[in-house]
Every structure is written in C-alpha cells, then in structure tokens.
Amino acid sequence: PFWLKPYKSSVNRLFICAMNGLRTKPVDTSKPEFQAEPSFAADKESLWKYPPWDDGWIRAHSAVRAELQQMTLLIAHLGDRELEAWEVHAMRSIWDCHYEHVHDHHTNEDGIMTPSMATRINLPAKLTTDHEGLVARMEGLKVLFSSLTNTAQLDHAWSEYQTYMLPHLFE
C-alpha cells in the first residue's frame, strides 16, 4: 500500500508534530494562576464521567490532526502530475469537509467555549488569536482547491497550513 512507501519530508514533519502533540504534558489546572475567579476553584475533575483524553475538545482536535494527515498522505501519493477529474472532485470534497469542520469548530470555540471558560480560568490570548492566521491560510487553500489540476499546486500552502495548525491543536 502507498502509505508504507517512504514519505516526503513534509509528511515526516507531520508525523513528528502529531506524535509530539499526543504527548503534550498535562497542566495542573489547580494552580491559582489559572483561576480567573477565586470562587470557582479547580475542583470539578472528580465529577467528570470520562477521562480527560475522551473530552470532546480533545477528540475534535484529534480529528482535525487526522484530516491533516490524510490530506498530506494523499498529496504525497498523487505526486506531481495532472489529476483526473474524479481525483479533483474527491480532493475538493475532502477539503470542503475539512474546511467546514474547522470553521464550525472555531465557531464553537470562539462563540461558546472560550467565553464560558474565560469566566473561570485565565486563557492564553493565543488560543483565539491563532484563528485569524489559520482562517487566512484556509482561504488561500480554498482558492487553490477551486482551481486544482495538480497536487504540486498545494505543496507549499498545505505544508505552511499544517505547520501553523498542528501547534495550535496541541494547546
């Protein structure tokens, strides 16, 4: 199968980043420095009905990482050649789903989760300011996918996008 063949260097970087993200060190949220309001102590973990790694946010970020990985593998597999119409259609469909997934996820983060969490914990500004750079890169990719004829057209923009996105998903 194609995924067992040697990968391009951008794919190797993706795997290294993905594996590092899966080993992100836990944060001790009970430290007062993380509390926005002292009356909301970080003592609710015992009420969780599942482990932290099964949290919906973690799962959503893992799904986005998997989408990045799959598109990177597809770009590497198809190589520098003219694509057939069905291949272009398939890649655009994959991109459209990823685009919608990330936009909906950001809407949930920026409109629901982050404002709610900010009432109880101190959040790094980077949590939401990253979204501007991600969206800009996604809009550039949207244009490339709309006129796609060869995966080489995506190489630089896709590599830049995943390099920017992966660290964001680990925070």
Side-chain angles (χ1 to χ4, degrees):
F2 74 86
W3 58 86
L4 294 178
K5 292 180 181 176
Y7 299 118
K8 288 183 177 181
S9 63
S10 64
V11 176
N12 287 332
R13 283 194 308 273
L14 173 66
F15 286 135
I16 290 166
C17 287
M19 292 311 295
N20 285 340
L22 295 174
R23 291 191 301 264
T24 301
K25 292 181 181 174
V27 173
D28 181 2
T29 56
S30 65
K31 291 183 177 179
E33 67 200 58
F34 294 114
Q35 287 182 256
E37 175 57 51
S39 63
F40 294 122
D43 60 358
K44 313 296 183 282
E45 198 169 323
S46 65
L47 301 174
W48 289 17
K49 300 195 183 325
Y50 48 83
W53 55 86
D54 277 342
D55 177 71
W57 207 341
I58 299 294
R59 286 178 178 248
H61 284 189
S62 293
V64 172
R65 278 192 291 273
E67 291 169 5
L68 291 172
Q69 181 186 37
Q70 292 303 306
M71 182 61 83
T72 300
L73 290 171
L74 182 57
I75 290 169
H77 174 69
L78 292 173
D80 184 6
R81 65 172 177 81
E82 292 300 307
L83 299 174
E84 296 182 32
W86 71 268
E87 293 170 319
V88 171
H89 177 75
M91 289 191 75
R92 285 180 183 158
S93 296
I94 293 166
W95 167 252
D96 289 345
C97 289
H98 175 74
Y99 181 89
E100 184 176 347
H101 179 198
V102 172
H103 272 292
D104 287 350
H105 181 69
H106 285 172
T107 298
N108 289 338
E109 284 182 337
D110 296 345
I112 301 168
M113 289 297 294
T114 303
S116 176
M117 288 189 318
T119 65
R120 298 185 178 222
I121 59 175
N122 294 321
L123 297 169
K126 192 177 182 307
L127 195 66
T128 55
T129 57
D130 271 3
H131 291 180
E132 295 168 16
L134 289 170
V135 169
R137 285 166 176 80
M138 289 175 70
E139 293 307 317
L141 280 164
K142 185 177 180 181
V143 170
L144 291 174
F145 273 98
S146 71
S147 60
L148 186 65
T149 59
N150 184 319
T151 59
Q153 295 168 272
L154 299 171
D155 255 353
H156 177 73
W158 187 261
S159 179
E160 181 181 88
Y161 171 61
Q162 74 179 6
T163 298
Y164 196 87
M165 174 67 95
L166 286 170
H168 173 73
L169 296 172
F170 302 141
E171 295 180 331

